[in-house]
Amino acid sequence: MGLMRYAWRNLWRNKRRTGITLAAVTLNTAILIMAYALMDGMIKHSVQNATNVVLGEAQIHAEGYREDHSFYKSLPDPEIILKKATEHRIGAAPRSYGYGLVSVGAKSAGALFWGIDPAVERAVFDLADNIQFGRFLSDKPEQGIVLGKKLARSLHASIGDEIIVVVQAADGSLGNELYTIFGILKTVGDNIDRGAAILHQDDFRELFVSKGRIHEVALNTRGEMPIMELAALMATAAEGTQVKTWRELMPLLSDMVNIFDSVMLIFYAIFVLAAGLGVMNTMLMATYDRMREFGILKAIGTSPWRIIGNMAVEAFVLAVTAAAFGLVIGLAGGYYFQEVGIDTRIFAAGDFSFSGVAFDPIWRAVLGVKVVAIPVVVMCVICTIASLYPAVLAARINPVRAIHHV
Amino acid sequence: MKQGTVRFGPVFLNLDFRTLKGIKSAACFCVCLLSFLCFGSMVLAQTAGLAPKEILDRVDDLMRGDSSHGKMTMTITTAHWTRSLRIEAWSKGKDKSLMRILAPKKEKGTATLRSGNNIWNFLPKVKRIIKLPSSMMASSWMGSHFTNDDLVKESRMADDYDFKATFEGVKSGREVLEITCIPKEEAVVVWGKVVLTVGKDNYLPLKIEYYDEDLELARTMTFEDVGLLGGRTLPRRFITVPADKPQESTVITYEEMAFNLELDDKLFSIRSLQR
């Protein structure tokens, strides 16, 4: 502890010099925290954008369903899965799928019917917010349908039109029904745009004589739970099911996020390097400044190791102090960016999308333990290392030359 | 205010109706459905030793005619259900046909009109007519192992295929003749190969095997119960089995048939569809 006190006293012998170094480290730590938080925010939010609409962070299907989408390969015990998800406060939306034909006026097209629970979809996902015209389905069945954008366009359909649907029901019979078009979705994804016809699950059950078959449970915690943990937890929910995370469901998106992650890491490395070099420069200057002092220390018989030790401790104490300040400023800034964000529209107008993921024009940071801890540790290490080089020089110096060093 | 949306959908739900029932899109020469629509005039060949081309033409003509009217039962068996449809059907010329379902109750009155390459369905429950989009041509007709495509394709074997007799002799205790047909370069057919087996005594088809482009067997039609139908001697039961699901089948059994009647063109109109 005496070493620390000694270092602390030593540091404040030259207030200006130490102040400059302190400011440099503080500022760099704060910048690193904010930059890291912003980068993490961009990745996290782009993933959330991708998963929150309909995909979910993970999905559960019956074994083999994903291979051929057979109507008969439905989940064996959907209730158990939904119950378990609810117990763990995981948002879980049950969905049924079936193919068929839709027709408006003289136009007709093939469609994939979705049987959903509108109340649950509204609570867990954002599909209901992505309505371009009309409205989403109500919580109670009312013979309404919501169509994908391109499908609606190809049918020349508009809100309020009656739509005829014809399907092959589960018992082999011909299911057919009239519905009213309640809503048309925004662009949300090519498959949905081109072919989704969304029904209330009760209407779906009647149309397909599906006896309540559920083909998919989409899980979403909106980032509350790490996806691996989520997948592991739900994998044991019911027999004969398979859980796939969004990374497995959408490998393209996953790859994109990985690439994005790497790009961000490179950026971050450059940031750290720049900050590190700045700090190192300040530390070096501060040490060269003290060459005479070292000369005198050596002249009165201080061992080289002791000089290196003292220098390293001084640098470390300085760095920790600065990092603490930087942490406060970084947290404040990061919090601001998390709550308010940066409006990217001041740089570029219009929607900004990348590989199919549209980014929110408001760029928000996400603060996390990792985001805060890594910059702090990195700065402390860099400062200590930066002080070692001049310290070694100082330790090996000829006292006479050092004393004359100006 | 959420502005960001994702241009992503569940990719794994690929909307490809060709996979609907696992049925290979059929550009067959209408042996299948047209068979019970357009029974042709079939003069039994008593002459021996017909050339393959003549045999093909005969088999083709067996299914074609000026007009026909009849009733049949279609029994469909899949892994998940079995059902029988009673159907009344009319046909005129090569490209006009009308089918109306008589039973079961749920489908009663459902009708399909084919005129040229277009197919319309009348749905009595909602009292609406819908025209079938071209994207649905490859999907199954009424859940059977026939596609809508089978309803409208009309090629003649002898025109679209190069053929030669590949076997002559006894199979399963019958004198048979086997003709293998390979599609011509320019022919618009989906099969990679069609193998036709006819009885040597009457030149009536016993079996037709359809192979896909990879020359894998896609489906087999067998013809049974030769007897009198509309004053002609014909097979009265057609059985279609998809090769990838041997336990599934569609069986068409003819109850009554009449050929070469005077049928008004008005019968094959959208108006008559709704009756």
Side-chain angles (χ1 to χ4, degrees), chain A residues 49 69 108 162 174 188, chain B residues 6 8 12 83 107 128 131:
Chain A
N49 273 346
H69 300 283
S108 52
E162 76 170 16
L174 193 74
V188 284
Chain B
V6 177
F8 264 114
F12 56 90
R83 54 203 296 263
E107 275 91 356
R128 297 289 188 283
K131 185 173 182 290

Side-chain angles (χ1 to χ4, degrees), chain A residues 382-406:
Chain A
I382 283 181
C383 288
T384 314
I385 292 171
S387 69
L388 283 178
Y389 170 67
V392 170
L393 284 183
R396 292 176 52 191
I397 204 155
N398 175 324
V400 178
R401 280 184 59 193
I403 290 165
H404 284 280
H405 179 94
V406 178

Side-chain angles (χ1 to χ4, degrees), chain A residues 49-50 59 69 72 101 103 108 111-112 130 162 166 168 170 172-174 176-177 188-189 216 250 351 356 358, chain B residues 2-3 5-15 17 20 80-81 83 106-107 123 125 128 130-131 133 143:
Chain A
N49 273 346
Q59 293 182 347
H69 300 283
Y72 302 97
L101 180 66
S103 175
S108 52
L112 175 69
N130 283 279
E162 76 170 16
V166 185
Q168 173 90 55
S173 66
L174 193 74
N176 57 96
E177 196 56 73
V188 284
E216 175 180 295
M250 297 195 60
D351 266 1
Chain B
K2 264 194 56 51
Q3 304 231 13
T5 56
V6 177
R7 329 243 176 260
F8 264 114
V11 159
F12 56 90
L13 287 170
N14 199 350
L15 220 67
F17 288 94
L20 201 56
H80 304 282
W81 43 262
R83 54 203 296 263
K106 185 179 172 180
E107 275 91 356
L123 305 162
K125 183 186 169 189
R128 297 289 188 283
I130 55 171
K131 185 173 182 290

Side-chain angles (χ1 to χ4, degrees), chain B residues 47 56 68 97 101 135 139-140 143 165 188 205 232 235:
Chain B
T47 51
L56 287 181
S68 70
S97 62
I101 296 178
S135 63
S139 63
S140 130
V188 191
R232 317 186 186 294

Side-chain angles (χ1 to χ4, degrees), chain B residues 180 190-195 208-219:
Chain B
T180 301
V190 297
W191 304 117
K193 185 172 82 170
V194 178
V195 180
I208 305 180
E209 291 158 307
Y210 298 90
Y211 293 81
D212 63 20
E213 285 125 331
D214 306 327
L215 300 185
E216 295 276 329
L217 185 64
R219 68 179 180 193

Side-chain angles (χ1 to χ4, degrees), chain A residues 62-65 68-76 97-99 167-173 208-211 213-215, chain B residues 20-21 77-83 143 245 248:
Chain A
E63 290 284 354
Y65 177 78
D68 64 358
H69 300 283
S70 161
F71 193 85
Y72 302 97
K73 288 183 184 165
S74 52
L75 287 164
Y97 296 105
Y99 294 105
V167 304
Q168 173 90 55
D171 61 358
S173 66
F208 278 91
V209 198
S210 70
K211 299 190 174 67
R213 280 190 178 89
I214 303 287
H215 299 109
Chain B
L20 201 56
K21 301 296 287 179
T77 308
T78 72
H80 304 282
W81 43 262
T82 298
R83 54 203 296 263
K245 297 181 191 135
E248 299 198 354

Side-chain angles (χ1 to χ4, degrees), chain B residues 37-38 65-69 89-98 114 261-268:
Chain B
L37 310 176
C38 348
D66 293 341
S67 62
S68 70
H69 174 215
W90 297 262
S91 80
K92 186 175 181 182
K94 281 197 343 185
D95 59 354
K96 285 195 181 72
S97 62
L98 176 69
R114 179 206 152 207
L261 323 125
E262 288 295 319
L263 292 177
D264 193 345
D265 273 358
K266 283 196 187 121
L267 178 66
F268 304 98

Side-chain angles (χ1 to χ4, degrees), chain A residues 103-293:
Chain A
S103 175
V104 177
K107 300 272 178 190
S108 52
L112 175 69
F113 292 92
W114 295 41
I116 60 155
D117 181 339
V120 174
E121 293 288 341
R122 231 187 290 275
V124 179
F125 289 97
D126 297 339
L127 188 64
D129 306 330
N130 283 279
I131 291 281
Q132 178 138 28
F133 305 109
R135 61 179 178 87
F136 198 65
L137 301 172
S138 316
D139 294 1
K140 287 201 164 59
E142 45 189 340
Q143 299 278 302
I145 199 165
V146 171
L147 299 178
K149 189 176 176 175
K150 288 180 183 164
L151 178 64
R153 195 186 307 146
S154 67
L155 293 168
H156 295 283
S158 44
I159 303 301
D161 287 357
E162 76 170 16
I163 183 166
I164 310 157
V165 307
V166 185
V167 304
Q168 173 90 55
D171 61 358
S173 66
L174 193 74
N176 57 96
E177 196 56 73
L178 276 180
Y179 298 109
T180 307
I181 300 172
F182 279 0
I184 293 169
L185 293 169
K186 288 179 185 165
T187 305
V188 284
D190 206 42
N191 281 302
I192 296 178
D193 298 347
R194 275 189 304 121
I198 302 170
L199 296 171
H200 191 288
Q201 60 182 16
D202 295 359
D203 288 338
F204 182 96
R205 181 178 306 160
E206 206 170 311
L207 175 68
F208 278 91
V209 198
S210 70
K211 299 190 174 67
R213 280 190 178 89
I214 303 287
H215 299 109
E216 175 180 295
V217 173
L219 305 166
N220 198 11
T221 66
R222 294 189 184 261
E224 294 294 309
M225 196 186 276
I227 58 166
M228 293 328 282
E229 191 186 318
L230 175 70
L233 180 71
M234 295 309 291
T236 55
E239 288 289 306
T241 60
Q242 51 175 205
V243 182
K244 294 269 183 230
T245 64
W246 68 266
R247 284 189 175 271
E248 294 160 293
L249 295 167
M250 297 195 60
L252 275 175
L253 178 67
S254 179
D255 290 349
M256 192 203 88
V257 169
N258 289 345
I259 290 167
F260 204 62
D261 234 346
S262 321
V263 170
M264 284 298 184
L265 267 179
I266 292 165
F267 267 105
Y268 192 67
I270 292 168
F271 244 97
V272 169
L273 202 68
L277 284 174
V279 170
M280 193 179 257
N281 185 41
T282 323
M283 293 295 298
L284 277 173
M285 291 315 296
T287 320
Y288 280 124
D289 226 19
R290 296 166 61 186
M291 271 303 173
R292 282 192 66 184
E293 186 190 323

